Amino acid sequence: MSRSPLVTRSEIRRRKEAQERLAEEQAEAKAELEKKEREIANVYRKELKKNKPLVKSRSNERQKEKKRSTFLNKAIFIVALLLIIVILAVLFI
């Protein structure tokens, strides 16, 4: 009785080629998927640039106005005092 091989060389070659084709197809699919994901990310990044999130709020703006107001009031008071001192100095000297 002759013993035939369970798997022939040609069958091994066909299986190896099939595995290589499958690997190539998976690589191509992965590359295509990454390309689509990059395109989608670009679209969303552009949209975020267009619609920047709000950083101002009413309370923050009120606080800034209050600080500015107090600073200006102090400056006006100091200038008024200096002006009065200069006027008194001119009148009495």
Side-chain angles (χ1 to χ4, degrees), residues 65-78:
E65 288 177 12
K66 192 172 183 179
K67 285 180 184 178
R68 197 176 312 130
S69 176
T70 56
F71 174 77
L72 289 175
N73 287 339
K74 288 178 185 177
I76 290 171
F77 181 72
I78 291 171

Side-chain angles (χ1 to χ4, degrees), residues 19-20 27-28 42 47-49 52 65 67 69 73 77 83 89-90 93:
Q19 286 179 347
E20 290 174 357
E28 290 173 4
N42 286 339
E47 287 295 320
L48 282 176
K49 284 183 181 178
K52 292 186 178 179
E65 288 177 12
K67 285 180 184 178
S69 176
N73 287 339
F77 181 72
L83 192 61
V90 168
I93 293 181

